[in-house]
mmCIF file of all heavy atoms in Angstrom:
data_model
loop_
_atom_site.group_PDB
_atom_site.id
_atom_site.type_symbol
_atom_site.label_atom_id
_atom_site.label_comp_id
_atom_site.label_asym_id
_atom_site.label_seq_id
_atom_site.Cartn_x
_atom_site.Cartn_y
_atom_site.Cartn_z
ATOM 1 N N ALA A 514 -0.709 12.011 26.269
ATOM 2 C CA ALA A 514 -2.065 11.471 26.032
ATOM 3 C C ALA A 514 -2.195 10.835 24.640
ATOM 4 O O ALA A 514 -3.289 10.381 24.271
ATOM 5 C CB ALA A 514 -3.087 12.598 26.173
ATOM 6 N N ALA A 515 -1.101 10.777 23.877
ATOM 7 C CA ALA A 515 -1.210 10.266 22.495
ATOM 8 C C ALA A 515 -1.570 8.788 22.484
ATOM 9 O O ALA A 515 -1.072 8.014 23.303
ATOM 10 C CB ALA A 515 0.105 10.494 21.765
ATOM 11 N N LYS A 516 -2.422 8.406 21.536
ATOM 12 C CA LYS A 516 -2.864 7.020 21.420
ATOM 13 C C LYS A 516 -2.350 6.416 20.115
ATOM 14 O O LYS A 516 -2.052 7.138 19.164
ATOM 15 C CB LYS A 516 -4.385 6.949 21.439
ATOM 16 C CG LYS A 516 -4.998 7.397 22.757
ATOM 17 C CD LYS A 516 -6.517 7.214 22.761
ATOM 18 C CE LYS A 516 -7.233 7.940 21.641
ATOM 19 N NZ LYS A 516 -7.103 9.410 21.674
ATOM 20 N N VAL A 517 -2.287 5.097 20.074
ATOM 21 C CA VAL A 517 -1.837 4.391 18.873
ATOM 22 C C VAL A 517 -2.610 4.897 17.642
ATOM 23 O O VAL A 517 -3.829 5.001 17.685
ATOM 24 C CB VAL A 517 -2.023 2.864 19.021
ATOM 25 C CG1 VAL A 517 -1.752 2.141 17.705
ATOM 26 C CG2 VAL A 517 -1.114 2.332 20.118
ATOM 27 N N GLY A 518 -1.880 5.258 16.625
ATOM 28 C CA GLY A 518 -2.515 5.737 15.383
ATOM 29 C C GLY A 518 -2.615 7.257 15.305
ATOM 30 O O GLY A 518 -2.854 7.805 14.233
ATOM 31 N N ASP A 519 -2.431 7.963 16.454
ATOM 32 C CA ASP A 519 -2.507 9.426 16.414
ATOM 33 C C ASP A 519 -1.359 9.992 15.577
ATOM 34 O O ASP A 519 -0.230 9.468 15.606
ATOM 35 C CB ASP A 519 -2.417 10.011 17.829
ATOM 36 C CG ASP A 519 -3.734 9.858 18.585
ATOM 37 O OD1 ASP A 519 -4.714 9.411 17.972
ATOM 38 O OD2 ASP A 519 -3.759 10.183 19.793
ATOM 39 N N ARG A 520 -1.657 11.070 14.853
ATOM 40 C CA ARG A 520 -0.643 11.666 13.966
ATOM 41 C C ARG A 520 -0.336 13.092 14.388
ATOM 42 O O ARG A 520 -1.247 13.845 14.773
ATOM 43 C CB ARG A 520 -1.147 11.682 12.530
ATOM 44 C CG ARG A 520 -1.521 10.323 11.997
ATOM 45 C CD ARG A 520 -2.059 10.452 10.576
ATOM 46 N NE ARG A 520 -2.492 9.168 10.056
ATOM 47 C CZ ARG A 520 -3.703 8.684 10.231
ATOM 48 N NH1 ARG A 520 -4.628 9.374 10.873
ATOM 49 N NH2 ARG A 520 -4.021 7.498 9.727
ATOM 50 N N PHE A 521 0.921 13.471 14.270
ATOM 51 C CA PHE A 521 1.357 14.819 14.653
ATOM 52 C C PHE A 521 2.380 15.307 13.650
ATOM 53 O O PHE A 521 3.078 14.514 13.018
ATOM 54 C CB PHE A 521 2.045 14.794 16.025
ATOM 55 C CG PHE A 521 1.165 14.262 17.122
ATOM 56 C CD1 PHE A 521 1.142 12.898 17.417
ATOM 57 C CD2 PHE A 521 0.329 15.115 17.840
ATOM 58 C CE1 PHE A 521 0.312 12.399 18.409
ATOM 59 C CE2 PHE A 521 -0.503 14.625 18.835
ATOM 60 C CZ PHE A 521 -0.511 13.273 19.123
ATOM 61 N N GLN A 522 2.503 16.622 13.568
ATOM 62 C CA GLN A 522 3.701 17.159 12.922
ATOM 63 C C GLN A 522 4.674 17.516 14.042
ATOM 64 O O GLN A 522 4.327 18.298 14.934
ATOM 65 C CB GLN A 522 3.386 18.418 12.104
ATOM 66 C CG GLN A 522 4.645 18.889 11.375
ATOM 67 C CD GLN A 522 4.512 20.256 10.713
ATOM 68 O OE1 GLN A 522 5.251 21.170 11.027
ATOM 69 N NE2 GLN A 522 3.576 20.354 9.783
ATOM 70 N N PHE A 523 5.851 16.905 14.018
ATOM 71 C CA PHE A 523 6.915 17.323 14.935
ATOM 72 C C PHE A 523 7.615 18.455 14.205
ATOM 73 O O PHE A 523 8.214 18.231 13.132
ATOM 74 C CB PHE A 523 7.893 16.192 15.222
ATOM 75 C CG PHE A 523 7.357 15.068 16.065
ATOM 76 C CD1 PHE A 523 8.150 13.957 16.359
ATOM 77 C CD2 PHE A 523 6.065 15.108 16.596
ATOM 78 C CE1 PHE A 523 7.662 12.918 17.146
ATOM 79 C CE2 PHE A 523 5.565 14.075 17.390
ATOM 80 C CZ PHE A 523 6.375 12.966 17.657
ATOM 81 N N LEU A 524 7.553 19.651 14.762
ATOM 82 C CA LEU A 524 8.059 20.821 14.061
ATOM 83 C C LEU A 524 9.460 20.571 13.490
ATOM 84 O O LEU A 524 10.343 20.083 14.185
ATOM 85 C CB LEU A 524 8.108 22.008 15.013
ATOM 86 C CG LEU A 524 6.771 22.693 15.291
ATOM 87 C CD1 LEU A 524 6.953 23.791 16.326
ATOM 88 C CD2 LEU A 524 6.178 23.257 14.014
#
Side-chain angles (χ1 to χ4, degrees):
K516 295 184 303 298
V517 172
D519 284 354
R520 302 178 183 88
F521 301 90
Q522 183 189 120
F523 290 177
L524 283 176

